Amino acid sequence: MGLLKFVRLYSDKAARFVPTSGVYPKGYSVGGIHCGIKKNGNLDLALLKNEYGKGAVASAVFTTNKFKAAPVQLSSKIVKEKEGKNINSIIINSGNANAVTGTKGLNDAQSMVSATDKCLGNEENSTLVMSTGVIGNLLPIEKILTGIEEITKDENLGNSHEDWLKCANAICTTDTFPKLVTKNFEIDGITYTLAGLAKGAGMISPNMATLLGFFVTDAPVSNTALKSILQYAVDRSFNCITVDGDMSTNDTIVAIANGAAGGELIDQTSSSSTSYSILRAEITDFAQQLSQLVVRDGEGATKFIHLKVKDALSFKDAKSIASSIANSALFKTAMYGSDANWGRILCAVGYADVATADSVLPEKTSVSFIPSDGSEPLPLLVNGEPETVDEERASQILSVEDLCIEIDLGTGGNQEASFWTCDLSHDYVTINGDYRS
Amino acid sequence: MGLLKFVRLYSDKAARFVPTSGVYPKGYSVGGIHCGIKKNGNLDLALLKNEYGKGAVASAVFTTNKFKAAPVQLSSKIVKEKEGKNINSIIINSGNANAVTGTKGLNDAQSMVSATDKCLGNEENSTLVMSTGVIGNLLPIEKILTGIEEITKDENLGNSHEDWLKCANAICTTDTFPKLVTKNFEIDGITYTLAGLAKGAGMISPNMATLLGFFVTDAPVSNTALKSILQYAVDRSFNCITVDGDMSTNDTIVAIANGAAGGELIDQTSSSSTSYSILRAEITDFAQQLSQLVVRDGEGATKFIHLKVKDALSFKDAKSIASSIANSALFKTAMYGSDANWGRILCAVGYADVATADSVLPEKTSVSFIPSDGSEPLPLLVNGEPETVDEERASQILSVEDLCIEIDLGTGGNQEASFWTCDLSHDYVTINGDYRS
């Protein structure tokens, strides 16, 4: 079964989740072109350029997989060496992950960075690089270097909605729609803007799922504050989503701030600072929106599931329990089948990796469906005792695309976490198993 | 899609994996009857009775899930209180897991134990109890107690192949074939026998996967030696298999030894004792055979996959890496599609939970397919460098049912682990997602 069929199956998602307009932060330009990596002629090279001041601050989180792709190794080195300062661009290719490619792969990643810096007139190593696509193949580096000369030309860059959509499209691989989110927020009477894009989680060729994304703002933030905010936000967004539980060699999320919108520098890293708190909350919310689009585009997904674990002893416990449920094949297939199978939820809660013996107390655990229409929650288990479930109402709640399930641990610890996942469908197996047939 | 279709689909497995004869240890009798739990009239109550001496020694391992079913809680208490001595019977019902059933559930489990002890003339709490099936429903305890009176009658018990098959059938739920293994072995010129049965891993009703099993021998073993051997064997068998990574509330494996075949008591717990070493190796091999049958019957399974991780720093590292691959949905779907996708194997190696930074060294990692026909291994990755793979040969190797994949970590630690799993197929999703439709 080919890609086209899936594109047709899920094309209504593009209509629902790709915005038709957006707000864009000052001082950036972006673009996307076809440089010849993808055989079908689709866009495969993307660029973000900072145009404000001497250089923007950047922070990044990378995959913890031991088999790190060349661009991950290099970008992580650049961010570290420059302490997250004076980063002026991001160059991204799709169609080839430059992973498991040895010394040549590292050299190619460095060539992409150097060529971009040279064409944009940056100081050395001011560019971060990302790649996504097939693994184990060397990059067609000549095509990419020619592409970099092309994409850095003024006529290929801009800050309009269309430019951003082009950029978002150019980082897609088997995604069925480009993932782009923008928003405004205010601190001390000044309006700031966030714009970001992501790709994932699709894979059809013999490669791995990859999650790439970046977002940029025109707010004035120090490198240390941005680092602290990004870690907090990613812990509650990109690290709280799963499609199939597989962590790629290329996962990278970058945040960039150039201060182009003016205002006082946010350089605190404590929530006692109001401006830090506001920015952290805005970026976290933004990162959640962006990361949720990856789940929406999960391979074969027919359901979008929000898991909310409440009253845990710690955020870490709550997240671990939510992750355990979100990664359970039994839970995911039950959701696909619209089966109110609280037993499978409970089972996954029971084997989650939690900190102490008191983290999960069977006799205090409750599970409810929260209907998306705002009607009363449907309790399935209350304080460890099964409820007599109105199966008709349960089926009705589960028949819609957006589901929310609440697990109340009743520990008195009052900590909570949200996690987003999709179901496990026949199409997931088809996409990942039948590709070569 | 109903159960019947699957029974047809997989019925050839019964012909291949259910033995037509067996060898049975001295001093035991077993049976299986229908007591009225299963609506389709299938066998649903099983009994093992020790007939030799005053009492057998027993050891057991139970699920570590926090939501432990009532029979798990009670059996674990009995084994502990009696220090694994004077256990004379096991009573098992299928069709209802007696899980998440509160105080009434615990009372019901105790009633099953007490009734069995009384009917068999045992001293109090000489029986272990197991249950498997739907969760959240109270047991039809009256039917079961009447059934216990029936099954404990001499005419319903015996030590023939047919009696053991009946017993193995009576613990099945959605299994497509009963799982029974027997074998002889020798220590110091005396022939001993092992027989055992297991159920899993099928679930169709709103419940959880359950793995139950027990095996018995007529070798003379102390309670402490048996405990040590069982833990070692289970770590290398039942804890080295996965179908979907979900750990149930009811998982229980029991080993019983009555010494009926005579010989010197094995009471060492050190591998410097020859008889202990032989028994441990025999029981480990036996437990592997039995546990592998559960993978053979994995829901929707079309492939049986042996993962062998070599040259790790520790057994724990090796097992963790094998488990990471075995539970990867991407790996499992690739195997279903006979896709030589070494990228997905590498990816799962890279995110496995290992002890140190040196546990996985990308530049020393090699991956090969080991053909089941005994021909030369097919290297996919050698010391972190991808090989040019002969895709035709890879497809040929992957087209058979039994696959073996070897991951050589090259750490110099020389420790290894084996793990067994099945693929993730369309039928898995159908069985677990479409049940109610």
Side-chain angles (χ1 to χ4, degrees), chain A residues 237-263:
Chain A
S237 57
F238 290 98
N239 283 343
C240 283
I241 60 168
T242 185
V243 171
D244 47 25
D246 276 273
M247 179 208 288
S248 130
T249 49
N250 287 54
D251 293 343
T252 304
I253 301 292
V254 173
I256 285 187
N258 66 2

PDB file of all heavy atoms in Angstrom, chain A residues 237-263:
ATOM      1  N   SER A 237       5.617  18.832  27.093  1.00  0.00           N
ATOM      2  CA  SER A 237       5.027  18.857  25.743  1.00  0.00           C
ATOM      3  C   SER A 237       5.645  17.741  24.882  1.00  0.00           C
ATOM      4  O   SER A 237       5.115  16.635  24.854  1.00  0.00           O
ATOM      5  CB  SER A 237       5.236  20.223  25.097  1.00  0.00           C
ATOM      6  OG  SER A 237       6.618  20.565  25.050  1.00  0.00           O
ATOM      7  N   PHE A 238       6.797  18.015  24.273  1.00  0.00           N
ATOM      8  CA  PHE A 238       7.383  17.013  23.382  1.00  0.00           C
ATOM      9  C   PHE A 238       7.799  15.743  24.120  1.00  0.00           C
ATOM     10  O   PHE A 238       7.826  14.671  23.527  1.00  0.00           O
ATOM     11  CB  PHE A 238       8.569  17.616  22.612  1.00  0.00           C
ATOM     12  CG  PHE A 238       8.145  18.620  21.595  1.00  0.00           C
ATOM     13  CD1 PHE A 238       8.201  19.978  21.877  1.00  0.00           C
ATOM     14  CD2 PHE A 238       7.636  18.222  20.370  1.00  0.00           C
ATOM     15  CE1 PHE A 238       7.780  20.915  20.947  1.00  0.00           C
ATOM     16  CE2 PHE A 238       7.213  19.141  19.431  1.00  0.00           C
ATOM     17  CZ  PHE A 238       7.289  20.500  19.723  1.00  0.00           C
ATOM     18  N   ASN A 239       8.105  15.852  25.402  1.00  0.00           N
ATOM     19  CA  ASN A 239       8.400  14.645  26.182  1.00  0.00           C
ATOM     20  C   ASN A 239       7.146  14.027  26.791  1.00  0.00           C
ATOM     21  O   ASN A 239       7.232  13.082  27.561  1.00  0.00           O
ATOM     22  CB  ASN A 239       9.421  14.943  27.276  1.00  0.00           C
ATOM     23  CG  ASN A 239      10.824  15.031  26.707  1.00  0.00           C
ATOM     24  OD1 ASN A 239      11.078  14.574  25.598  1.00  0.00           O
ATOM     25  ND2 ASN A 239      11.744  15.610  27.464  1.00  0.00           N
ATOM     26  N   CYS A 240       5.989  14.566  26.489  1.00  0.00           N
ATOM     27  CA  CYS A 240       4.720  14.018  26.978  1.00  0.00           C
ATOM     28  C   CYS A 240       3.839  13.578  25.825  1.00  0.00           C
ATOM     29  O   CYS A 240       2.616  13.647  25.911  1.00  0.00           O
ATOM     30  CB  CYS A 240       3.987  15.040  27.828  1.00  0.00           C
ATOM     31  SG  CYS A 240       4.689  15.198  29.470  1.00  0.00           S
ATOM     32  N   ILE A 241       4.467  13.190  24.729  1.00  0.00           N
ATOM     33  CA  ILE A 241       3.675  12.633  23.631  1.00  0.00           C
ATOM     34  C   ILE A 241       4.312  11.309  23.231  1.00  0.00           C
ATOM     35  O   ILE A 241       5.514  11.098  23.403  1.00  0.00           O
ATOM     36  CB  ILE A 241       3.612  13.560  22.392  1.00  0.00           C
ATOM     37  CG1 ILE A 241       5.017  13.843  21.833  1.00  0.00           C
ATOM     38  CG2 ILE A 241       2.902  14.860  22.721  1.00  0.00           C
ATOM     39  CD1 ILE A 241       5.018  14.496  20.457  1.00  0.00           C
ATOM     40  N   THR A 242       3.480  10.421  22.715  1.00  0.00           N
ATOM     41  CA  THR A 242       4.012   9.186  22.154  1.00  0.00           C
ATOM     42  C   THR A 242       3.097   8.728  21.043  1.00  0.00           C
ATOM     43  O   THR A 242       1.883   8.935  21.099  1.00  0.00           O
ATOM     44  CB  THR A 242       4.157   8.084  23.217  1.00  0.00           C
ATOM     45  OG1 THR A 242       4.787   6.948  22.619  1.00  0.00           O
ATOM     46  CG2 THR A 242       2.815   7.639  23.774  1.00  0.00           C
ATOM     47  N   VAL A 243       3.701   8.176  20.015  1.00  0.00           N
ATOM     48  CA  VAL A 243       2.918   7.480  19.000  1.00  0.00           C
ATOM     49  C   VAL A 243       3.154   5.988  19.177  1.00  0.00           C
ATOM     50  O   VAL A 243       2.246   5.226  19.435  1.00  0.00           O
ATOM     51  CB  VAL A 243       3.259   7.956  17.570  1.00  0.00           C
ATOM     52  CG1 VAL A 243       2.600   7.079  16.529  1.00  0.00           C
ATOM     53  CG2 VAL A 243       2.822   9.396  17.393  1.00  0.00           C
ATOM     54  N   ASP A 244       4.415   5.589  19.145  1.00  0.00           N
ATOM     55  CA  ASP A 244       4.698   4.169  19.324  1.00  0.00           C
ATOM     56  C   ASP A 244       5.814   3.901  20.325  1.00  0.00           C
ATOM     57  O   ASP A 244       6.283   2.768  20.449  1.00  0.00           O
ATOM     58  CB  ASP A 244       5.022   3.507  17.984  1.00  0.00           C
ATOM     59  CG  ASP A 244       6.020   4.321  17.181  1.00  0.00           C
ATOM     60  OD1 ASP A 244       6.796   5.088  17.791  1.00  0.00           O
ATOM     61  OD2 ASP A 244       6.036   4.206  15.956  1.00  0.00           O
ATOM     62  N   GLY A 245       6.235   4.920  21.061  1.00  0.00           N
ATOM     63  CA  GLY A 245       7.201   4.686  22.131  1.00  0.00           C
ATOM     64  C   GLY A 245       8.635   4.560  21.661  1.00  0.00           C
ATOM     65  O   GLY A 245       9.530   4.336  22.469  1.00  0.00           O
ATOM     66  N   ASP A 246       8.886   4.690  20.368  1.00  0.00           N
ATOM     67  CA  ASP A 246      10.248   4.562  19.872  1.00  0.00           C
ATOM     68  C   ASP A 246      10.931   5.927  19.803  1.00  0.00           C
ATOM     69  O   ASP A 246      10.411   6.855  19.197  1.00  0.00           O
ATOM     70  CB  ASP A 246      10.250   3.907  18.478  1.00  0.00           C
ATOM     71  CG  ASP A 246      10.191   2.402  18.584  1.00  0.00           C
ATOM     72  OD1 ASP A 246      11.248   1.783  18.710  1.00  0.00           O
ATOM     73  OD2 ASP A 246       9.083   1.857  18.591  1.00  0.00           O
ATOM     74  N   MET A 247      12.090   6.050  20.442  1.00  0.00           N
ATOM     75  CA  MET A 247      12.811   7.322  20.480  1.00  0.00           C
ATOM     76  C   MET A 247      13.885   7.318  19.398  1.00  0.00           C
ATOM     77  O   MET A 247      14.720   6.424  19.342  1.00  0.00           O
ATOM     78  CB  MET A 247      13.473   7.469  21.845  1.00  0.00           C
ATOM     79  CG  MET A 247      14.271   8.748  21.988  1.00  0.00           C
ATOM     80  SD  MET A 247      15.606   8.476  23.167  1.00  0.00           S
ATOM     81  CE  MET A 247      14.697   8.390  24.688  1.00  0.00           C
ATOM     82  N   SER A 248      13.836   8.318  18.551  1.00  0.00           N
ATOM     83  CA  SER A 248      14.691   8.301  17.358  1.00  0.00           C
ATOM     84  C   SER A 248      16.111   8.753  17.632  1.00  0.00           C
ATOM     85  O   SER A 248      16.447   9.241  18.706  1.00  0.00           O
ATOM     86  CB  SER A 248      14.033   9.168  16.275  1.00  0.00           C
ATOM     87  OG  SER A 248      14.918  10.085  15.721  1.00  0.00           O
ATOM     88  N   THR A 249      16.946   8.569  16.621  1.00  0.00           N
ATOM     89  CA  THR A 249      18.345   9.004  16.658  1.00  0.00           C
ATOM     90  C   THR A 249      18.489  10.480  16.333  1.00  0.00           C
ATOM     91  O   THR A 249      19.573  11.033  16.462  1.00  0.00           O
ATOM     92  CB  THR A 249      19.111   8.255  15.562  1.00  0.00           C
ATOM     93  OG1 THR A 249      18.364   8.363  14.343  1.00  0.00           O
ATOM     94  CG2 THR A 249      19.293   6.806  15.934  1.00  0.00           C
ATOM     95  N   ASN A 250      17.418  11.111  15.842  1.00  0.00           N
ATOM     96  CA  ASN A 250      17.538  12.467  15.310  1.00  0.00           C
ATOM     97  C   ASN A 250      16.721  13.520  16.055  1.00  0.00           C
ATOM     98  O   ASN A 250      16.805  14.695  15.731  1.00  0.00           O
ATOM     99  CB  ASN A 250      17.115  12.480  13.825  1.00  0.00           C
ATOM    100  CG  ASN A 250      18.131  11.828  12.917  1.00  0.00           C
ATOM    101  OD1 ASN A 250      18.511  10.690  13.151  1.00  0.00           O
ATOM    102  ND2 ASN A 250      18.593  12.533  11.909  1.00  0.00           N
ATOM    103  N   ASP A 251      15.916  13.098  17.039  1.00  0.00           N
ATOM    104  CA  ASP A 251      15.014  14.045  17.722  1.00  0.00           C
ATOM    105  C   ASP A 251      15.736  15.313  18.174  1.00  0.00           C
ATOM    106  O   ASP A 251      16.738  15.263  18.883  1.00  0.00           O
ATOM    107  CB  ASP A 251      14.399  13.398  18.970  1.00  0.00           C
ATOM    108  CG  ASP A 251      13.461  12.253  18.636  1.00  0.00           C
ATOM    109  OD1 ASP A 251      13.034  12.161  17.477  1.00  0.00           O
ATOM    110  OD2 ASP A 251      13.160  11.469  19.551  1.00  0.00           O
ATOM    111  N   THR A 252      15.197  16.440  17.772  1.00  0.00           N
ATOM    112  CA  THR A 252      15.793  17.738  18.108  1.00  0.00           C
ATOM    113  C   THR A 252      14.699  18.800  18.202  1.00  0.00           C
ATOM    114  O   THR A 252      13.858  18.895  17.308  1.00  0.00           O
ATOM    115  CB  THR A 252      16.785  18.187  17.003  1.00  0.00           C
ATOM    116  OG1 THR A 252      17.758  17.169  16.818  1.00  0.00           O
ATOM    117  CG2 THR A 252      17.474  19.496  17.383  1.00  0.00           C
ATOM    118  N   ILE A 253      14.699  19.560  19.277  1.00  0.00           N
ATOM    119  CA  ILE A 253      13.819  20.723  19.382  1.00  0.00           C
ATOM    120  C   ILE A 253      14.684  21.930  19.736  1.00  0.00           C
ATOM    121  O   ILE A 253      15.453  21.886  20.698  1.00  0.00           O
ATOM    122  CB  ILE A 253      12.754  20.540  20.495  1.00  0.00           C
ATOM    123  CG1 ILE A 253      11.884  19.314  20.237  1.00  0.00           C
ATOM    124  CG2 ILE A 253      11.885  21.802  20.624  1.00  0.00           C
ATOM    125  CD1 ILE A 253      10.975  19.415  19.051  1.00  0.00           C
ATOM    126  N   VAL A 254      14.554  22.988  18.957  1.00  0.00           N
ATOM    127  CA  VAL A 254      15.356  24.199  19.181  1.00  0.00           C
ATOM    128  C   VAL A 254      14.430  25.383  19.457  1.00  0.00           C
ATOM    129  O   VAL A 254      13.383  25.513  18.815  1.00  0.00           O
ATOM    130  CB  VAL A 254      16.227  24.504  17.940  1.00  0.00           C
ATOM    131  CG1 VAL A 254      16.931  25.852  18.088  1.00  0.00           C
ATOM    132  CG2 VAL A 254      17.257  23.406  17.708  1.00  0.00           C
ATOM    133  N   ALA A 255      14.816  26.231  20.417  1.00  0.00           N
ATOM    134  CA  ALA A 255      14.097  27.491  20.666  1.00  0.00           C
ATOM    135  C   ALA A 255      15.071  28.639  20.424  1.00  0.00           C
ATOM    136  O   ALA A 255      16.230  28.566  20.832  1.00  0.00           O
ATOM    137  CB  ALA A 255      13.589  27.535  22.094  1.00  0.00           C
ATOM    138  N   ILE A 256      14.579  29.668  19.755  1.00  0.00           N
ATOM    139  CA  ILE A 256      15.436  30.812  19.440  1.00  0.00           C
ATOM    140  C   ILE A 256      14.702  32.106  19.805  1.00  0.00           C
ATOM    141  O   ILE A 256      13.492  32.229  19.589  1.00  0.00           O
ATOM    142  CB  ILE A 256      15.826  30.792  17.932  1.00  0.00           C
ATOM    143  CG1 ILE A 256      16.889  29.699  17.729  1.00  0.00           C
ATOM    144  CG2 ILE A 256      16.349  32.155  17.465  1.00  0.00           C
ATOM    145  CD1 ILE A 256      17.512  29.648  16.366  1.00  0.00           C
ATOM    146  N   ALA A 257      15.432  33.037  20.398  1.00  0.00           N
ATOM    147  CA  ALA A 257      14.845  34.328  20.773  1.00  0.00           C
ATOM    148  C   ALA A 257      15.805  35.425  20.338  1.00  0.00           C
ATOM    149  O   ALA A 257      17.002  35.356  20.627  1.00  0.00           O
ATOM    150  CB  ALA A 257      14.616  34.376  22.285  1.00  0.00           C
ATOM    151  N   ASN A 258      15.260  36.466  19.658  1.00  0.00           N
ATOM    152  CA  ASN A 258      16.158  37.522  19.164  1.00  0.00           C
ATOM    153  C   ASN A 258      15.927  38.895  19.793  1.00  0.00           C
ATOM    154  O   ASN A 258      16.679  39.826  19.547  1.00  0.00           O
ATOM    155  CB  ASN A 258      16.090  37.621  17.627  1.00  0.00           C
ATOM    156  CG  ASN A 258      14.728  38.076  17.134  1.00  0.00           C
ATOM    157  OD1 ASN A 258      13.835  38.359  17.935  1.00  0.00           O
ATOM    158  ND2 ASN A 258      14.565  38.127  15.814  1.00  0.00           N
ATOM    159  N   GLY A 259      14.851  39.036  20.580  1.00  0.00           N
ATOM    160  CA  GLY A 259      14.603  40.313  21.249  1.00  0.00           C
ATOM    161  C   GLY A 259      14.170  41.442  20.335  1.00  0.00           C
ATOM    162  O   GLY A 259      14.140  42.610  20.753  1.00  0.00           O
ATOM    163  N   ALA A 260      13.788  41.117  19.093  1.00  0.00           N
ATOM    164  CA  ALA A 260      13.469  42.161  18.115  1.00  0.00           C
ATOM    165  C   ALA A 260      12.264  43.012  18.504  1.00  0.00           C
ATOM    166  O   ALA A 260      12.109  44.137  18.011  1.00  0.00           O
ATOM    167  CB  ALA A 260      13.239  41.534  16.735  1.00  0.00           C
ATOM    168  N   ALA A 261      11.399  42.497  19.379  1.00  0.00           N
ATOM    169  CA  ALA A 261      10.202  43.263  19.736  1.00  0.00           C
ATOM    170  C   ALA A 261      10.464  44.225  20.890  1.00  0.00           C
ATOM    171  O   ALA A 261       9.567  44.943  21.335  1.00  0.00           O
ATOM    172  CB  ALA A 261       9.044  42.317  20.069  1.00  0.00           C
ATOM    173  N   GLY A 262      11.679  44.257  21.377  1.00  0.00           N
ATOM    174  CA  GLY A 262      12.034  45.204  22.431  1.00  0.00           C
ATOM    175  C   GLY A 262      11.576  44.784  23.816  1.00  0.00           C
ATOM    176  O   GLY A 262      11.132  43.654  24.031  1.00  0.00           O
ATOM    177  N   GLY A 263      11.712  45.686  24.781  1.00  0.00           N
ATOM    178  CA  GLY A 263      11.327  45.382  26.167  1.00  0.00           C
ATOM    179  C   GLY A 263      12.538  44.982  26.983  1.00  0.00           C
ATOM    180  O   GLY A 263      13.667  44.876  26.471  1.00  0.00           O
TER     181      GLY A 263
END
